[in-house]
Amino acid sequence: MQKFIGTGVALITPFKEDLSVDFDALVKLVNFNIENGTNYLVINGTTAESATISKEEKLQIIALIVKTNAGRVPLVLGIGGNNTLQVVEDIKNADLSNIDGILSVVPYYSKPTQEGFYQHFKALAAATEKPIILYNVPGRTAKNMDAVTTIRLANDFKNIVGIKEAGNNMQQYLELLKNKPAGFLIISGDDDLALGIALAGGSGVISVIGQAYPKEFSTLINYGLEGKNKEGYALHFKMMSIIDYIFEENNPAGIKTVLQELGICRNEVRLPLVKASAELQTKIANFAANF
């Protein structure tokens, strides 16, 4: 699973002023990332506002990214939910011919037990031969999938190849790194912890900020993977404030404001999300102007 080591980015979905998908901006964003060191792209994840993207739009987005990518970097597709049977059907019905892996979020809202998490992902693993990366993000799903459950899944299913861990919990990261089977990927879903996780033996990051500063952030992650802590933290300290800013109000309003400052897309989001406040936009603009 070397293709998922390094810096992946959770792509946003750019919108025009009328909130239709801005496909030209999406092409610009994809090329910008590939040309500046991003190792793989994640499509239709949380940061893409997948909850407010129609099925037809999702298919159009996938097709455009596949065409734009032209086989240059691996592609990971977000397919998840809290209805296990529906997620299984979605995986079976998806055209995965140009997709290298699936990112599947822990079931949200329902708050299953640890056994429920296990049985959910067991069903998904049986539905496809594609590599599956688990996605634990308790701040959004309302319940944490414990490290022991992740390790159980890693040991039991060969196509469950890694986890995007996004609980912002260093102790859980360390438990995963200590107990994981050989080859299982521990991928940071927390931009602020990504360097430390890479230095501790993690496999990299699926990042939000990385899509705005792909050259700098992929360099930071590579320093971590190479054990270059001094060089890594020097760059981390330069980026600390912007990482805080993009999550200060909501994601992806923050990162879209950064991308607007860089001339890649507008900062439009769909309700119930709203644009970054004027105060936050000013802080982001000042950072971008001086970085």
Side-chain angles (χ1 to χ4, degrees), residues 190-207:
D190 298 301
D191 284 349
D192 57 341
L193 298 181
L195 175 60
I197 301 309
L199 286 165
S203 300
V205 66
I206 294 177
S207 174

Side-chain angles (χ1 to χ4, degrees), residues 84-208:
T84 305
L85 294 179
Q86 184 61 57
V87 179
V88 166
E89 286 304 306
D90 290 345
I91 290 174
K92 288 181 175 179
N93 293 329
D95 178 2
L96 301 175
S97 55
N98 294 295
I99 301 298
D100 297 273
I102 295 167
L103 179 69
S104 196
V105 69
V106 165
Y108 43 80
Y109 188 76
S110 302
K111 298 176 73 173
T113 63
Q114 296 302 310
E115 183 63 23
F117 288 139
Y118 178 88
Q119 293 298 332
H120 171 83
F121 286 117
K122 176 181 178 180
L124 271 55
T128 182
E129 294 182 354
K130 287 285 182 179
I132 296 173
I133 300 171
L134 311 175
Y135 178 20
N136 185 43
V137 56
R140 289 187 179 272
T141 63
K143 190 164 184 181
N144 182 55
M145 184 165 71
D146 295 341
V148 66
T149 304
T150 299
I151 300 304
R152 182 184 173 198
L153 287 162
N155 283 318
D156 289 355
F157 304 102
K158 64 180 182 180
N159 63 330
I160 295 180
V161 301
I163 183 166
K164 176 186 177 183
E165 178 64 35
N168 212 255
N169 182 336
M170 182 59 79
Q171 182 60 33
Q172 181 146 310
Y173 275 112
L174 295 177
E175 288 181 27
L176 290 166
L177 288 166
K178 176 175 180 275
N179 297 316
K180 73 180 185 69
F184 188 75
L185 308 176
I186 308 302
I187 301 168
S188 176
D190 298 301
D191 284 349
D192 57 341
L193 298 181
L195 175 60
I197 301 309
L199 286 165
S203 300
V205 66
I206 294 177
S207 174
V208 176

Side-chain angles (χ1 to χ4, degrees), residues 49-91:
E49 296 174 74
S50 55
T52 54
I53 303 292
S54 71
K55 183 176 181 179
E56 181 181 0
E57 287 172 330
K58 287 179 181 178
L59 293 174
Q60 292 172 331
I61 288 165
I62 294 166
L64 183 68
I65 293 174
V66 167
K67 179 180 178 181
T68 305
N69 180 49
R72 289 179 287 173
V73 299
L75 300 177
V76 175
L77 180 61
I79 307 178
N82 61 346
N83 179 343
T84 305
L85 294 179
Q86 184 61 57
V87 179
V88 166
E89 286 304 306
D90 290 345
I91 290 174

